[in-house]
Amino acid sequence: MRFFFILYIFFLVNSVKAQEIEKCEERYNSFKTSECLKILKRKLTNYKLSIKIYSPNNTLYKNKNIYVSICKKSLTSHKYSGVDGSIDIKLKPKYLKNCESLISIDIISEYGQCTEGKYAIANWNSLYMENLVYFSCSNLK
């Protein structure tokens, strides 16, 4: 009996880890897309998101400061990109409360990435669920 209990626990733990988060399809019916994004938002709550970032010249954006805002709400401190050019963001409920259904993350580089010393911007959102983003100088206002 003990063996079956241990086996059951093993499969339960592995099934929770193996849960894949599927992205929503962009459809003509915006209601269905919106409902899917709301369900996805619940699944992404407390999820650790890893995004690889490339600079405007298509090289990895490694070991540099990054400023992050989630659904137009800026995080209080800057982040630092890793040696592999990626950042990890835990999507805490306090960050996601500003998102209606679509989770939108704006990532801003250090100054000097674009002409005249300006910063570059990259965008991530829960509709496309990309695991890499590219900084662009054309997004500047």
Side-chain angles (χ1 to χ4, degrees):
M1 183 70 172
R2 183 185 288 177
F3 174 74
F4 290 112
F5 181 71
I6 291 171
L7 191 62
Y8 174 76
I9 296 295
F10 175 76
F11 284 119
L12 180 67
V13 169
N14 284 334
S15 69
V16 171
K17 286 182 183 177
Q19 180 185 13
E20 285 291 320
I21 297 179
E22 294 181 26
K23 64 181 187 175
C24 298
E25 291 182 30
E26 191 173 6
R27 302 177 184 185
Y28 294 110
N29 186 338
S30 61
F31 176 76
K32 286 185 180 181
T33 303
S34 179
E35 289 301 309
C36 178
L37 287 170
K38 287 178 184 177
I39 293 168
L40 182 60
K41 179 182 165 186
R42 286 192 294 271
K43 288 180 182 178
L44 288 174
T45 300
N46 291 316
Y47 183 78
K48 186 177 179 183
L49 181 65
S50 183
I51 304 172
K52 192 166 290 231
I53 304 169
Y54 287 87
S55 66
N57 61 4
N58 290 333
T59 59
L60 283 173
Y61 192 77
K62 300 189 277 188
N63 300 320
K64 296 183 181 174
N65 287 323
I66 293 179
Y67 303 92
V68 177
S69 64
I70 300 175
C71 295
K72 305 297 181 197
K73 178 75 173 164
S74 183
L75 300 184
T76 55
S77 63
H78 69 277
K79 293 198 158 291
Y80 200 67
S81 63
V83 294
D84 63 345
S86 66
I87 59 168
D88 294 326
I89 303 170
K90 185 165 183 179
L91 297 172
K92 298 178 183 178
K94 69 179 183 179
Y95 301 150
L96 299 182
K97 71 179 179 182
N98 298 314
C99 308
E100 210 166 298
S101 57
L102 180 73
I103 299 170
S104 174
I105 300 175
D106 293 324
I107 305 167
I108 302 171
S109 73
E110 295 178 332
Y111 286 104
Q113 294 296 313
C114 298
T115 58
E116 299 176 11
K118 294 183 179 179
Y119 54 85
I121 297 176
N123 304 100
W124 181 95
N125 70 54
S126 58
L127 183 60
Y128 299 112
M129 298 279 294
E130 301 286 333
N131 62 351
L132 58 95
V133 294
Y134 291 87
F135 276 130
S136 171
C137 296
S138 63
N139 291 342
L140 302 176
K141 296 176 183 171

